[in-house]
Amino acid sequence: MLTISEKSQLDQSGFLLFENAISDATTIQLREHALELATAEQKAGKGHTYLPNETAQRVWNLIDKGEMFEKAIQQPKMLAAMEYLLGADCTLSSFTVNILYPGAPDAGLHIDYPLSGLPTPRPNFPMVANSVWFLDDFTLENGATSCVPGSHQRLDALPESGVEYGDEQQICGSRGSVLIVNGAVWHGSSENRSDEPRVALLGFFCRSILKPQQDHLKIVSEEVIERATPTLKRLLGLNSLPSLNT
C-alpha cells in the first residue's frame, strides 16, 4: 500500500507524514476519549506525568481502554508503513495517549529504546518505529515533533543534549495526520508555547523478535482478545509467543 516515493522517503529521511489519514469524526472521538482517560487517571492519583512541572502526560494500554483504540491501531496505511519497516509479522510495543500541556518544554532529541541501549554501531535496518497520531493540529507553537532527516543512518552517534542541529525540522500538519518515525531517527517533542494542550496518540511497534514495551497478552482483557481480528491478535503478540516445546 506504500508508493515507491513513500518507501524512498522512509528509507532516506527516516520519517513520513500521512496527511488526513484519520477522518474528522474519528479524530474528534479519539481526542475526547484520550482527554477523558487522562483526566480520570489524574483524579485517581494514577496519572503518568513527566517533564518539568508535570507538563506532559501518558495514558498507557489503550488497547484495553476502548474499542475505538482497537480499531484505530489497525489503520491500513499506518500498518503498511510499519510492515515495510519492521516486517510483515511486526508487533505492537505500546499504544498510548501523549499530551503536552501549555508550558511543556522542549524534550530534546533521542532515539527509541532499545536502540538507545545497544552498543555501536547499531543495526543498519529498522528495529522499532513510532506512529504519531495528530489529534490536534501540530504547529511550531504547540510542540510539533522534531526530526533530524537521515539521522537513522548515523549508526555510531547519538544526539547531544543542548545542541541545536541545523537540519532539525518540526513536522507540522493538520489534525487527523499520522507521522511515521523510524525509531533510530533523532526526534523529540518541542516546546508547547500555546495555551492549549497538544494531544496525540503514540502507536509504537517493534520487530516480532523483540520484547515489547508492554506485555499486551497479560494486560488486556480476555474480551478484547476474544473479539480481536487476526491482525490485532498478531499485533498483540499471539503469533510471536516463545515455543512451548520441551
mmCIF file of all heavy atoms in Angstrom, residues 137-157:
data_model
loop_
_atom_site.group_PDB
_atom_site.id
_atom_site.type_symbol
_atom_site.label_atom_id
_atom_site.label_comp_id
_atom_site.label_asym_id
_atom_site.label_seq_id
_atom_site.Cartn_x
_atom_site.Cartn_y
_atom_site.Cartn_z
ATOM 1 N N ASP A 137 -4.020 19.970 15.450
ATOM 2 C CA ASP A 137 -3.029 20.461 14.504
ATOM 3 C C ASP A 137 -1.682 20.510 15.211
ATOM 4 O O ASP A 137 -1.583 20.966 16.358
ATOM 5 C CB ASP A 137 -3.396 21.868 14.026
ATOM 6 C CG ASP A 137 -4.664 21.919 13.189
ATOM 7 O OD1 ASP A 137 -5.098 20.859 12.689
ATOM 8 O OD2 ASP A 137 -5.229 23.021 13.049
ATOM 9 N N PHE A 138 -0.645 20.034 14.550
ATOM 10 C CA PHE A 138 0.715 20.142 15.070
ATOM 11 C C PHE A 138 1.341 21.390 14.455
ATOM 12 O O PHE A 138 1.467 21.498 13.229
ATOM 13 C CB PHE A 138 1.537 18.898 14.709
ATOM 14 C CG PHE A 138 1.482 17.801 15.735
ATOM 15 C CD1 PHE A 138 0.314 17.479 16.391
ATOM 16 C CD2 PHE A 138 2.617 17.049 16.032
ATOM 17 C CE1 PHE A 138 0.259 16.460 17.333
ATOM 18 C CE2 PHE A 138 2.578 16.024 16.971
ATOM 19 C CZ PHE A 138 1.398 15.734 17.620
ATOM 20 N N THR A 139 1.738 22.335 15.315
ATOM 21 C CA THR A 139 2.250 23.618 14.851
ATOM 22 C C THR A 139 3.607 23.921 15.479
ATOM 23 O O THR A 139 4.048 23.249 16.418
ATOM 24 C CB THR A 139 1.275 24.750 15.217
ATOM 25 O OG1 THR A 139 1.275 24.932 16.643
ATOM 26 C CG2 THR A 139 -0.148 24.426 14.744
ATOM 27 N N LEU A 140 4.245 24.987 14.993
ATOM 28 C CA LEU A 140 5.515 25.420 15.566
ATOM 29 C C LEU A 140 5.331 25.889 17.000
ATOM 30 O O LEU A 140 6.270 25.844 17.799
ATOM 31 C CB LEU A 140 6.109 26.556 14.728
ATOM 32 C CG LEU A 140 6.488 26.219 13.285
ATOM 33 C CD1 LEU A 140 7.000 27.470 12.575
ATOM 34 C CD2 LEU A 140 7.522 25.106 13.222
ATOM 35 N N GLU A 141 4.111 26.307 17.354
ATOM 36 C CA GLU A 141 3.858 26.863 18.684
ATOM 37 C C GLU A 141 3.489 25.810 19.723
ATOM 38 O O GLU A 141 3.731 26.003 20.918
ATOM 39 C CB GLU A 141 2.727 27.905 18.611
ATOM 40 C CG GLU A 141 3.110 29.197 17.900
ATOM 41 C CD GLU A 141 3.206 29.024 16.396
ATOM 42 O OE1 GLU A 141 2.417 28.215 15.841
ATOM 43 O OE2 GLU A 141 4.063 29.670 15.780
ATOM 44 N N ASN A 142 2.850 24.694 19.305
ATOM 45 C CA ASN A 142 2.307 23.778 20.320
ATOM 46 C C ASN A 142 3.096 22.491 20.517
ATOM 47 O O ASN A 142 2.602 21.542 21.110
ATOM 48 C CB ASN A 142 0.833 23.469 20.031
ATOM 49 C CG ASN A 142 0.624 22.562 18.828
ATOM 50 O OD1 ASN A 142 1.579 22.150 18.168
ATOM 51 N ND2 ASN A 142 -0.628 22.256 18.527
ATOM 52 N N GLY A 143 4.320 22.460 20.017
ATOM 53 C CA GLY A 143 5.174 21.317 20.331
ATOM 54 C C GLY A 143 5.260 20.249 19.275
ATOM 55 O O GLY A 143 5.508 19.081 19.591
ATOM 56 N N ALA A 144 5.052 20.608 18.014
ATOM 57 C CA ALA A 144 5.150 19.626 16.934
ATOM 58 C C ALA A 144 6.460 18.850 17.017
ATOM 59 O O ALA A 144 7.514 19.403 17.341
ATOM 60 C CB ALA A 144 5.038 20.317 15.576
ATOM 61 N N THR A 145 6.389 17.559 16.727
ATOM 62 C CA THR A 145 7.542 16.668 16.817
ATOM 63 C C THR A 145 8.686 17.143 15.920
ATOM 64 O O THR A 145 8.472 17.513 14.760
ATOM 65 C CB THR A 145 7.139 15.253 16.409
ATOM 66 O OG1 THR A 145 6.075 14.810 17.256
ATOM 67 C CG2 THR A 145 8.313 14.287 16.512
ATOM 68 N N SER A 146 9.885 17.137 16.459
ATOM 69 C CA SER A 146 11.082 17.475 15.687
ATOM 70 C C SER A 146 11.796 16.204 15.244
ATOM 71 O O SER A 146 11.850 15.224 15.988
ATOM 72 C CB SER A 146 12.047 18.322 16.519
ATOM 73 O OG SER A 146 11.531 19.611 16.747
ATOM 74 N N CYS A 147 12.330 16.232 14.035
ATOM 75 C CA CYS A 147 13.110 15.111 13.498
ATOM 76 C C CYS A 147 14.340 15.657 12.775
ATOM 77 O O CYS A 147 14.304 16.751 12.212
ATOM 78 C CB CYS A 147 12.279 14.297 12.500
ATOM 79 S SG CYS A 147 10.846 13.435 13.182
ATOM 80 N N VAL A 148 15.398 14.879 12.778
ATOM 81 C CA VAL A 148 16.590 15.205 12.004
ATOM 82 C C VAL A 148 16.657 14.236 10.831
ATOM 83 O O VAL A 148 16.907 13.039 11.024
ATOM 84 C CB VAL A 148 17.869 15.098 12.867
ATOM 85 C CG1 VAL A 148 19.111 15.375 12.016
ATOM 86 C CG2 VAL A 148 17.797 16.059 14.044
ATOM 87 N N PRO A 149 16.388 14.701 9.616
ATOM 88 C CA PRO A 149 16.347 13.807 8.456
ATOM 89 C C PRO A 149 17.648 13.033 8.273
ATOM 90 O O PRO A 149 18.745 13.589 8.391
ATOM 91 C CB PRO A 149 16.110 14.760 7.276
ATOM 92 C CG PRO A 149 15.538 15.996 7.891
ATOM 93 C CD PRO A 149 16.131 16.103 9.249
ATOM 94 N N GLY A 150 17.519 11.736 7.991
ATOM 95 C CA GLY A 150 18.673 10.908 7.709
ATOM 96 C C GLY A 150 19.482 10.496 8.924
ATOM 97 O O GLY A 150 20.473 9.754 8.795
ATOM 98 N N SER A 151 19.089 10.944 10.119
ATOM 99 C CA SER A 151 19.888 10.647 11.308
ATOM 100 C C SER A 151 19.871 9.174 11.686
ATOM 101 O O SER A 151 20.746 8.708 12.435
ATOM 102 C CB SER A 151 19.410 11.504 12.491
ATOM 103 O OG SER A 151 18.018 11.375 12.685
ATOM 104 N N HIS A 152 18.909 8.404 11.154
ATOM 105 C CA HIS A 152 18.879 6.961 11.433
ATOM 106 C C HIS A 152 20.065 6.244 10.800
ATOM 107 O O HIS A 152 20.341 5.086 11.116
ATOM 108 C CB HIS A 152 17.566 6.356 10.933
ATOM 109 C CG HIS A 152 17.333 6.513 9.467
ATOM 110 N ND1 HIS A 152 17.271 7.737 8.846
ATOM 111 C CD2 HIS A 152 17.136 5.588 8.479
ATOM 112 C CE1 HIS A 152 17.052 7.569 7.546
ATOM 113 N NE2 HIS A 152 16.975 6.277 7.309
ATOM 114 N N GLN A 153 20.753 6.933 9.911
ATOM 115 C CA GLN A 153 21.916 6.340 9.254
ATOM 116 C C GLN A 153 23.223 6.629 10.003
ATOM 117 O O GLN A 153 24.290 6.164 9.606
ATOM 118 C CB GLN A 153 22.003 6.867 7.815
ATOM 119 C CG GLN A 153 20.775 6.508 6.977
ATOM 120 C CD GLN A 153 20.760 7.192 5.625
ATOM 121 O OE1 GLN A 153 21.781 7.699 5.155
ATOM 122 N NE2 GLN A 153 19.602 7.216 4.981
ATOM 123 N N ARG A 154 23.143 7.373 11.105
ATOM 124 C CA ARG A 154 24.324 7.691 11.902
ATOM 125 C C ARG A 154 24.461 6.615 12.979
ATOM 126 O O ARG A 154 24.087 6.812 14.140
ATOM 127 C CB ARG A 154 24.193 9.084 12.513
ATOM 128 C CG ARG A 154 23.941 10.170 11.475
ATOM 129 C CD ARG A 154 23.739 11.544 12.101
ATOM 130 N NE ARG A 154 23.242 12.501 11.136
ATOM 131 C CZ ARG A 154 22.960 13.775 11.405
ATOM 132 N NH1 ARG A 154 23.151 14.250 12.637
ATOM 133 N NH2 ARG A 154 22.494 14.578 10.475
ATOM 134 N N LEU A 155 24.999 5.487 12.597
ATOM 135 C CA LEU A 155 24.953 4.289 13.430
ATOM 136 C C LEU A 155 25.868 4.358 14.646
ATOM 137 O O LEU A 155 25.707 3.572 15.588
ATOM 138 C CB LEU A 155 25.321 3.065 12.578
ATOM 139 C CG LEU A 155 24.501 2.870 11.291
ATOM 140 C CD1 LEU A 155 24.967 1.620 10.552
ATOM 141 C CD2 LEU A 155 23.017 2.791 11.605
ATOM 142 N N ASP A 156 26.802 5.286 14.651
ATOM 143 C CA ASP A 156 27.755 5.376 15.759
ATOM 144 C C ASP A 156 27.504 6.576 16.663
ATOM 145 O O ASP A 156 28.249 6.793 17.621
ATOM 146 C CB ASP A 156 29.190 5.474 15.217
ATOM 147 C CG ASP A 156 29.644 4.184 14.571
ATOM 148 O OD1 ASP A 156 29.582 3.141 15.235
ATOM 149 O OD2 ASP A 156 30.042 4.214 13.393
ATOM 150 N N ALA A 157 26.475 7.361 16.356
ATOM 151 C CA ALA A 157 26.297 8.624 17.073
ATOM 152 C C ALA A 157 24.941 8.688 17.757
ATOM 153 O O ALA A 157 24.005 7.963 17.415
ATOM 154 C CB ALA A 157 26.443 9.793 16.096
#
